[in-house]
Amino acid sequence: MSSTSKYIIEVKIDVIKTLKLLGITAGALTAIGLGTYYIHQRIQRSKRVILRDEVKHVLEPFELTDEQLRRVMANLNTEMINSLKSDGDIDKNDLGMFPTYVHRGPNGQETGEYLVVDLGGSNFRVSHVVIEGRNRINLKNKIFLIPHSLLLGEGERLFDYIAECLQRFIDDNGLNLNKPVDYTFDLAFTFSFPCNQTSLSQATLVSWTKGFSCTGVVGHDVVLMLQQAIDRRKSLKIQVVALVNDTVGTLMACSSIYRDCKVGVILGTGTNACYFENIENVPKWTGVRNQTTKQVVINTEWGALGKHACLDFIRTSIDRELDESSLTPNQQVFEKMISALYLGEIVRLIIVDLVQRSILLPGRMHKSPSLGRDYNIFLSLRGSFYAKHVADIECDTTEDLSVTSLILTSIGIQEPSYDDCYIIREVCKTVSLRASRLAAAAIAVLVNRVNLPSVTVGIDGTLFRHHGKFKKNLTRTLSRLVPRTHRLVLSEDGSSKGSALVAAVHRYTNEIATSS
Ligand code: GLC
């Protein structure tokens, strides 16, 4: 045997020995690892069970039974009937139930060019809409940011800013090109706040909602205010022809596609709904009653439900805390349990509660904020947790809850443990489930009220479009609450297209009336 082959054999033997050794070591290590993991899991699990019981206790009041939901339905229905009778005195009734002067959906024959201004959500939008017949609608729009100071400042300045944006939009898109010198645009004003309408183009703001709070607007005709701001700019030739709540826009956009669409719902920054009601059921209606106006769309303003305590049986101490520190205490009680503007804050308040009970982030409550980024800042900052965080955490299916951990770290909760993440995910799921179930109960009331063999409900808003399991939970609950055939449809661009359709239906009806 040559020295080289001997060396190879020795090397081979060494390799086999080494592999054997490695195998044994790996096996032993795996066994130790598995054992440790198993013991760790046992400890974690038993720890979590204890934690879960305390957490359950805090979350229990947020878990609504079907029986409670049915009671919400009954109360909403009663409030609706009472408010349809009254003269819109919001001090006596919870709901506005405002007749909107919209009497029918589009029939496909409406045409024309319209501008739409949409104020009321997280953004302010200007649109140019060209309607060429059934389902042939072209839309161009631009979103403008509203400086925060304008939302809380003097109303006239807000309307001047809207007129300025309209001017920019028209100029940037060359909309005036090839138009006769005296051409006047018809404009639909999507204004998503409670308004008492006395015609399609006369509407007094009853109160601000959703964090808006400009002075000098409540009690005034907002159509007139917008028209005056437009007229202050001599180069603008625009006539405001209709005021449209976003729910009504949603309903109109959807009913241009689905003939049985009789309900429009918004589940977004705020929540609200409208529906077609028979005029004979509206004692407070003072407008025309004839063959062509058998129905009118009612803007319910259901977000205000609970003003006179009819929701007290399900309100939690957290709901009250949120309400008391809001811009509008004791208003929009129902909306504050459901809509995107408030979901994050409800979760934040529960987290604070759990921290104070030493269930979450144990032992770290007293860390000084002066040490830099600190979870205390998050804990004490109202509005620092968003609905988007709730949605993302609720849908976190990663094994180590890394999505939740990342979100929590990004807002200043440093090094959250697995248990912290787990509990916070439970909180998000519960709060969002409650919101979707309450929304389902409210929609059920309208589906029943419309009382047709089948009803389509047009829905728009971030919660329905993007928010985790919201749509699924809503749909599931609604099916249990209303056996009647119904369909939920996402309404695309409702507040622009739909509002333009309101203006178009109005123009078409006038043309028919003058030609006959
Ligand atoms: C608020 C407004 C209401 C609007 C809803 C959705 O509840 O009061 O008019 O429809 O938000 O934007």
Side-chain angles (χ1 to χ4, degrees):
M1 195 183 288
S2 74
S3 64
T4 330
S5 53
K6 190 174 161 217
Y7 175 74
I8 289 171
I9 289 167
E10 273 171 13
V11 169
K12 267 186 191 161
I13 291 166
D14 278 349
V15 169
I16 290 165
K17 263 192 194 161
T18 317
L19 280 177
K20 268 188 185 166
L21 254 174
L22 276 178
I24 294 164
T25 321
L29 281 178
T30 314
I32 294 168
L34 279 175
T36 319
Y37 177 75
Y38 178 72
I39 294 165
H40 174 76
Q41 285 296 306
R42 293 277 312 243
I43 295 169
Q44 288 291 309
R45 227 175 288 143
S46 58
K47 195 167 126 209
R48 213 171 298 141
V49 172
I50 300 167
L51 287 176
R52 286 285 303 275
D53 282 348
E54 289 172 281
V55 174
K56 267 187 189 160
H57 174 70
V58 171
L59 293 184
E60 219 161 34
F62 291 87
E63 286 156 10
L64 302 178
T65 60
D66 278 6
E67 201 189 330
Q68 286 173 309
L69 292 180
R70 288 188 196 281
R71 197 165 150 201
V72 171
M73 286 171 67
N75 291 352
L76 174 59
N77 196 39
T78 308
E79 288 299 328
M80 282 172 62
I81 294 168
N82 289 343
S83 306
L84 282 175
K85 281 189 209 139
S86 86
D87 50 1
D89 184 350
I90 51 159
D91 289 332
K92 275 191 261 146
N93 299 291
D94 277 15
L95 307 184
M97 298 299 280
F98 299 111
T100 61
Y101 291 80
V102 172
H103 297 288
R104 66 166 178 86
N107 61 15
Q109 302 197 39
E110 298 83 4
T111 54
E113 175 188 28
Y114 305 89
L115 289 172
V116 180
V117 160
D118 180 358
L119 181 74
S122 31
N123 294 309
F124 157 62
R125 202 161 40 159
V126 179
S127 311
H128 177 242
V129 185
V130 179
I131 305 173
E132 289 170 338
R134 182 180 288 284
N135 299 340
R136 294 216 313 277
I137 302 180
N138 292 315
L139 178 118
K140 199 184 290 169
N141 63 27
K142 182 173 162 78
I143 290 173
F144 293 87
L145 288 180
I146 311 180
H148 194 65
S149 58
L150 282 186
L151 296 186
L152 306 175
E154 204 190 309
E156 209 174 88
R157 286 191 51 216
L158 175 69
F159 285 97
D160 278 336
Y161 177 71
I162 297 175
E164 183 194 321
C165 294
L166 266 167
Q167 176 92 66
R168 282 202 330 240
F169 183 79
I170 290 173
D171 294 347
D172 290 352
N173 289 288
L175 297 181
N176 266 334
L177 298 178
N178 307 323
K179 293 268 190 328
V181 196
D182 56 351
Y183 182 85
T184 301
F185 288 96
D186 276 358
L187 180 142
F189 185 16
T190 314
F191 185 73
S192 308
F193 300 95
C195 285
N196 207 347
Q197 283 188 252
T198 43
S199 77
L200 192 61
S201 55
Q202 283 176 307
T204 307
L205 176 64
V206 174
S207 58
W208 286 114
T209 51
K210 298 178 286 192
F212 280 65
S213 184
C214 298
T215 55
V217 191
V218 172
H220 293 266
D221 181 347
V222 286
V223 173
L224 187 64
M225 288 188 83
L226 177 58
Q227 189 66 60
Q228 286 170 341
I230 289 170
D231 295 345
R232 280 194 282 276
R233 297 188 152 256
K234 294 283 169 265
S235 54
L236 279 184
K237 296 250 177 325
I238 300 172
Q239 179 74 32
V240 187
V241 294
L243 179 125
V244 187
N245 187 266
D246 51 358
T247 56
V248 181
T250 299
L251 171 60
M252 291 297 266
C254 196
S255 75
S256 70
I257 303 168
Y258 304 94
R259 295 197 82 91
D260 68 346
C261 181
K262 301 290 173 198
V263 180
V265 176
I266 297 287
L267 290 163
T269 309
T271 182
N272 186 18
C274 69
Y275 71 106
F276 277 97
E277 179 62 275
N278 295 330
I279 283 192
E280 62 190 35
N281 295 333
V282 191
K284 70 177 177 187
W285 171 251
T286 52
V288 189
R289 288 171 194 260
N290 59 30
Q291 280 309 307
T292 48
T293 52
K294 281 190 190 149
Q295 290 200 313
V296 63
V297 173
I298 299 286
N299 169 16
T300 65
E301 289 292 333
W302 75 20
L305 187 73
K307 187 172 183 193
H308 297 97
C310 79
L311 292 176
D312 280 7
F313 72 102
I314 52 165
R315 275 180 100 191
T316 65
S317 53
I318 297 280
D319 292 313
R320 288 174 209 282
E321 195 179 336
L322 178 141
D323 180 53
E324 277 156 23
S325 58
S326 73
L327 272 178
T328 49
N330 206 35
Q331 281 178 42
Q332 303 300 104
V333 170
F334 194 51
E335 181 163 81
K336 284 172 183 162
M337 293 171 141
I338 297 179
S339 80
L341 189 60
Y342 305 101
L343 283 190
E345 182 61 3
I346 299 176
V347 168
R348 190 188 71 85
L349 289 173
I350 299 176
I351 294 177
V352 172
D353 186 17
L354 292 171
V355 170
Q356 278 162 352
R357 291 169 191 255
S358 301
I359 297 173
L360 266 183
L361 309 167
R364 291 198 275 151
M365 183 59 186
H366 303 295
K367 221 167 145 189
S368 153
S370 60
L371 292 177
R373 268 162 61 87
D374 191 289
Y375 61 87
N376 278 338
I377 295 171
F378 155 77
L379 292 177
S380 58
L381 210 65
R382 195 149 54 91
S384 56
F385 203 77
Y386 302 138
K388 169 132 186 39
H389 296 139
V390 181
D392 291 346
I393 292 179
E394 185 188 358
C395 292
D396 183 4
T397 49
T398 57
E399 214 168 312
D400 53 352
L401 298 183
S402 51
V403 173
T404 306
S405 178
L406 255 174
I407 294 172
L408 296 179
T409 312
S410 77
I411 55 172
I413 298 183
Q414 285 168 20
E415 293 163 33
S417 67
Y418 178 86
D419 278 3
D420 292 333
C421 293
Y422 186 90
I423 293 168
I424 289 176
R425 190 181 59 174
E426 285 299 296
V427 175
C428 291
K429 278 184 182 174
T430 310
V431 170
S432 137
L433 179 65
R434 181 182 73 155
S436 61
R437 282 167 62 74
L438 284 172
I443 294 173
V445 174
L446 294 194
V447 171
N448 284 337
R449 215 173 153 76
V450 165
N451 195 17
L452 289 173
S454 88
V455 185
T456 292
V457 179
I459 311 188
D460 203 353
T462 46
L463 288 180
F464 191 72
R465 264 173 201 276
H466 311 298
H467 189 102
K469 305 192 170 87
F470 196 95
K471 183 176 171 183
K472 198 177 90 200
N473 290 331
L474 187 157
T475 312
R476 194 178 286 163
T477 307
L478 187 61
S479 306
R480 272 211 309 281
L481 297 175
V482 211
R484 197 182 293 274
T485 313
H486 59 268
R487 162 171 62 177
L488 304 181
V489 172
L490 181 70
S491 175
E492 296 287 347
D493 287 318
S495 38
S496 303
K497 281 185 190 164
S499 295
L501 281 166
V502 171
V505 168
H506 178 66
R507 185 190 284 179
Y508 178 83
T509 313
N510 283 347
E511 280 167 6
I512 296 287
T514 44
S515 69
S516 59

